């Protein structure tokens, strides 16, 4: 099958990818396996280090005490990539290297292993930008510390000669390699867009950013799938969003400059069209919510769900209907209240908050977007659990219209959604049959 994308020079941006033919909305554009990937440290106890699936119980590597697997099959399949890593982790105990250090090391291990040969890429490790010349001294210093950790991590397992033979010239300095990894890696997420790891996908690193992109990325395990969310013409540039776009223009631009070293001039940033909605309502009402968010995010990170729910509920009840639901800070706080309510089993409360967010998500995500689809599915599950079956079926149908485009009909998330819809239909049929029997009697 002819490739649907091709490398080109994007005016004002440098290298990029564009459509080689017409691509329809919902079409799979490209899929790729990672050059290297690793499970995030914060989830290392809950996600299989081979297939990246979440499991309640995992087998732990007896040597490094860090890697975990679904079963012996996953453990055996992972050994070729874990063998050298295992020794490095063991030698560094009790210290644990950061995600970027582990990913950089896995790139080296992969290139040293001839059995892990790669198919031809549109973009190579050598081609990746490090952006060191445009970084602040403070950021360079932070990366230098990571580079030192990488050297310490590898010192007893990988010789300087091996690094020289395996890596292209521009990647042989640890600082350059770490910089390339941190600027070009992707966050690997599950079907519900929750982070599970990081990976480097060389060819897809060519994709440029847009705050309202024409493509989205979803994962099945560690395999990355690029999918179109709008119709794309031949030779039109393919874009993704590097960041979560639900933030003010000023904040998006600052994050992109700090993390990716460019100034965004997309239509959404130039027009600032969503900022008015995000800051809707009286500033005296939303300012306390904005100021409280960092503290509440800390409670969420600590999984202090009772304190988080109490604080969110109190602040949201204080502003009440005086602040529109579309206000950015109210929406973020409402989402946190949903998370806390679900973790505490307060299902009615979670549903109440969830249903308030749906009209707002429609406004912020006009194109099919996985974030909107996942939110609909989340609310649908709450409605279903609380036996609001007709509402649940309607919400699942709305979610399906989005998920089938953003994830594809073969994605496990789509399969789960179809099963939920079938359960709702079956329960409604049973309910209808019961009513008929009562009427007959």
């Amino acid at each position: 099958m002819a490739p649907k994308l091709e490398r080109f020079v994007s005016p004002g941006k440098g290298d990029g990818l564009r459509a080689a033919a017409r691509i329809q909305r919902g079409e799979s554009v490209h899929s790729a396996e990672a050059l290297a990937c690793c499970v995030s440290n914060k989830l290392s106890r809950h996600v299989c280090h081979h297939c990246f699936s979440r499991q309640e119980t995992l087998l732990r590597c007896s040597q490094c005490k860090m890697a975990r697997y679904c079963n012996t099959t996953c453990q055996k399949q992972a050994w070729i990539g874990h063998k050298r890593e295992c020794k490095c982790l063991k030698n560094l105990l009790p210290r644990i290297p950061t995600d970027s250090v582990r990913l950089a090391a896995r790139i080296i291990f992969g290139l040293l292993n001839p059995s892990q040969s790669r198919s031809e890429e549109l973009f190579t490790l050598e081609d990746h930008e490090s952006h060191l010349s445009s970084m602040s001294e403070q950021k360079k210093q932070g990366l230098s510390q990571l580079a030192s950790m990488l050297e310490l991590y590898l010192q007893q397992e990988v010789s300087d000669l091996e690094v020289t033979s395996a890596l292209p010239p521009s990647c042989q300095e640890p600082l350059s390699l770490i910089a390339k990894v941190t600027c070009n890696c992707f966050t690997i997420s599950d079907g519900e867009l929750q982070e599970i790891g990081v990976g480097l996908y060389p060819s897809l690193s060519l994709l440029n950013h847009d705050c309202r992109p024409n493509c989205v990325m979803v994962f099945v395990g560690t395999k990355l799938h690029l999918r179109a969310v709008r119709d794309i013409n031949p030779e039109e540039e393919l874009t993704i969003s590097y960041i979560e776009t639900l933030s003010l223009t000023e904040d998006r631009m600052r994050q992109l400059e700090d993390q990716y070293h460019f100034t965004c001039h997309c239509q959404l940033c130039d027009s600032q069209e969503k900022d008015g909605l995000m800051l809707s309502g009286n500033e005296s009402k939303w300012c306390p919510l904005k100021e409280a968010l960092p503290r509440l995010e800390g409670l969420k990170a600590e999984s202090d769900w009772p304190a988080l729910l109490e604080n969110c509920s109190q602040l949201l009840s204080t502003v009440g209907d005086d602040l529109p639901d579309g206000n950015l800070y109210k929406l973020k706080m409402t989402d946190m209240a949903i998370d806390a309510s679900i973790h505490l089993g307060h299902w009615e409360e979670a549903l109440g908050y969830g249903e308030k967010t749906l009209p707002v998500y429609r406004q912020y995500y006009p194109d099919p977007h996985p974030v909107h689809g996942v939110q609909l599915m989340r609310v649908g599950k709450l409605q279903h659990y609380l036996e609001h079956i007709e509402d649940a079926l309607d919400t699942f149908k709305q979610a399906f219209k989005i998920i089938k485009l953003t994830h594809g009909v073969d994605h496990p998330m789509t399969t789960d959604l179809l099963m939920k819809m079938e359960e709702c239909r079956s329960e409604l049929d049973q309910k209808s049959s019961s009513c008929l029997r009562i009427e007959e009697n």
Side-chain angles (χ1 to χ4, degrees):
M1 185 182 294
K4 298 176 184 177
L5 48 72
E6 60 188 13
R7 183 175 176 174
F8 82 122
V9 177
S10 178
K13 298 179 183 179
D15 287 314
L17 292 174
R18 66 183 180 185
R22 180 169 174 77
I23 299 170
Q24 292 186 320
R25 186 176 78 151
E27 194 174 333
S28 174
V29 180
H30 188 73
S31 59
E33 295 285 0
L35 173 64
C37 56
C38 64
V39 171
S40 297
N41 280 339
K42 60 187 177 186
L43 291 167
S44 64
R45 295 172 179 268
H46 310 290
V47 174
C48 174
H49 288 222
H50 176 62
C51 69
F52 279 53
S53 63
R54 292 178 186 267
Q55 301 290 341
E56 299 235 346
T57 56
L58 294 164
L59 301 176
R60 187 177 72 166
C61 174
S62 60
Q63 297 299 308
C64 67
K65 314 294 184 188
M66 181 178 177
R68 285 170 166 78
Y69 304 100
C70 297
N71 47 44
T72 54
T73 302
C74 275
Q75 189 167 12
K76 286 175 182 176
Q77 290 175 349
W79 182 243
I80 191 169
H82 180 59
K83 185 177 180 180
R84 281 185 130 154
E85 177 188 58
C86 186
K87 293 177 182 177
C88 293
L89 287 166
K90 189 177 177 182
N91 290 333
L92 205 61
L93 285 172
R95 289 170 293 179
I96 297 174
T98 64
D99 294 346
S100 55
V101 167
R102 286 173 49 234
L103 180 56
R106 277 183 159 255
I107 290 169
I108 294 171
F109 299 147
L111 293 173
L112 285 171
N113 190 337
S115 66
Q116 292 183 309
S117 59
R118 300 283 300 174
S119 59
E120 186 178 345
E121 294 276 5
L122 293 169
F123 206 49
T124 66
L125 189 61
E126 173 80 355
D127 292 329
H128 284 75
E129 290 281 346
S130 69
H131 296 287
L132 283 168
S133 60
S134 58
M135 282 183 196
S136 67
E137 285 303 315
Q138 184 179 6
K139 186 163 185 180
K140 277 187 194 173
Q141 189 175 0
L143 289 177
S144 295
Q145 291 173 353
L146 293 177
S148 297
M149 180 181 278
L150 177 61
E151 289 184 284
L152 179 65
Y153 181 55
L154 295 173
Q155 67 180 0
Q156 292 186 36
E157 185 56 28
V158 180
S159 68
D160 291 342
L161 181 62
E162 284 181 300
V163 170
T164 303
S165 65
L167 293 178
S170 69
C171 304
Q172 289 171 10
E173 285 295 321
L175 177 59
S176 177
L177 179 59
I178 283 287
K180 288 188 179 211
V181 166
T182 55
C183 288
N184 293 285
C185 69
F186 290 121
T187 297
I188 299 170
S189 57
D190 61 17
E192 296 187 357
L193 310 181
Q194 299 300 306
E195 176 191 347
I196 51 177
V198 289
L200 189 69
Y201 298 80
S203 289
L204 294 178
S205 296
L206 281 165
L207 289 161
N208 285 314
H209 167 86
D210 195 292
C211 293
R212 190 180 171 186
N214 55 22
C215 294
V216 294
M217 296 186 306
V218 293
F219 293 84
V220 177
T222 61
K223 192 169 187 176
L224 190 161
H225 297 267
L226 183 71
R227 301 187 62 83
V229 292
R230 296 207 298 273
D231 291 336
I232 302 170
N233 292 319
E235 298 190 0
E236 183 179 343
E237 181 165 16
L238 304 174
T239 57
I240 58 170
S241 178
Y242 292 176
I243 58 172
E244 168 51 60
T245 54
L246 193 58
S247 55
L248 294 167
T249 301
E250 181 184 2
D251 295 334
R252 292 197 310 273
M253 293 182 79
R254 186 187 304 114
Q255 184 181 352
L256 290 165
E257 286 171 358
D258 289 348
Q259 195 169 344
Y260 298 102
H261 312 284
F262 71 90
T263 301
C264 187
H265 292 294
C266 74
Q267 189 273 333
L268 196 63
C269 284
D270 284 348
S271 67
Q272 302 184 18
E273 65 179 84
K274 295 292 184 186
D275 286 10
L277 175 60
M278 291 182 183
L279 295 179
S280 56
N282 193 305
E283 184 174 350
S284 64
K285 293 289 184 182
W286 57 252
C287 202
L289 273 62
K290 178 185 177 181
E291 291 170 354
L293 278 174
R295 177 172 54 84
L296 298 182
E297 284 164 357
L299 292 174
K300 183 178 177 180
E302 295 165 4
S303 300
D304 190 347
W305 305 116
L308 179 61
L309 183 57
E310 183 182 353
N311 278 267
C312 289
S313 299
Q314 186 176 4
L315 285 160
L316 289 169
S317 63
T318 301
V319 297
D321 293 331
D322 293 339
L323 194 62
D325 291 337
N327 178 276
L328 175 65
Y329 306 112
K330 185 177 182 181
L331 179 60
K332 288 191 173 186
M333 196 160 290
T334 306
D335 270 331
M336 284 195 202
I338 300 170
D339 289 337
S341 299
I342 288 173
H343 277 92
L344 294 170
H346 298 179
W347 311 118
E348 292 278 6
E349 199 169 355
L351 179 56
Y353 287 126
E355 289 179 335
K356 282 190 172 185
T357 67
L358 295 184
V360 185
Y361 270 72
R362 276 195 292 274
Q363 288 180 284
Y364 282 126
Y365 298 105
D367 300 315
H369 197 289
V371 169
H372 185 198
V374 167
Q375 188 77 348
L376 282 162
M377 194 165 175
R378 197 181 188 201
V379 171
K381 286 180 177 179
L382 288 166
Q383 291 169 330
H384 188 212
Y385 181 79
L386 292 168
E387 299 182 356
H388 304 175
I389 309 301
E390 289 184 10
D391 290 342
L393 180 57
D394 181 60
T395 304
F396 285 144
K397 285 178 179 178
Q398 292 178 56
F400 180 70
K401 287 179 182 178
I402 296 171
I403 296 291
K404 71 178 180 180
L405 298 173
T406 60
H407 290 62
V409 293
D410 296 326
H411 194 282
M413 184 94 164
T414 317
T415 305
D416 183 30
L417 184 51
L418 287 168
M419 286 176 63
K420 291 290 182 189
M421 290 165 66
E422 192 53 43
E423 284 175 33
C424 288
R425 291 189 184 102
S426 177
E427 288 167 29
L428 287 172
D429 287 344
Q430 288 175 10
K431 185 178 177 182
S432 178
S433 298
S434 297
C435 290
L436 282 172
R437 283 196 296 271
I438 291 170
E439 288 176 8
E440 288 170 358
N441 293 332

